[in-house]
């Protein structure tokens, strides 16, 4: 009777590969680092000082 409510208990989130950014923060592969805004060593989110 305990089966009810157990299904998909682990399937809520899409399985992703956790990679560590060059800044040391754990992020997802194929995703921009939320900490420094870089993706694969590239600055993809322009900060105030990234581009004049
Ligand atoms: Zn980063």
């Amino acid at each position: 009777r305990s089966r009810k409510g157990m299904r998909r208990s682990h399937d809520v989130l899409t399985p992703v590969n956790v990679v560590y950014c060059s800044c040391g923060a754990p992020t997802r592969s194929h995703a921009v680092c939320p900490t420094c805004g870089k993706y694969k060593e590239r600055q993809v989110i322009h900060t105030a000082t990234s581009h004049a």
Side-chain angles (χ1 to χ4, degrees):
R1 63 174 65 174
S2 61
R3 278 191 171 189
K4 189 174 185 180
M6 288 180 63
R7 67 186 182 98
R8 299 188 62 170
S9 60
H10 64 286
D11 197 29
V12 179
L13 297 175
T14 304
V16 292
N17 295 326
V18 175
V19 297
Y20 285 87
C21 179
S22 57
C23 72
T27 182
R28 298 177 302 177
S29 58
H30 307 288
V32 181
C33 175
T35 302
C36 68
K38 287 184 180 180
Y39 171 63
K40 291 186 180 295
E41 306 292 330
R42 296 172 60 185
Q43 190 79 38
V44 293
I45 295 179
H46 288 194
T47 58
T49 56
S50 63
H51 195 277

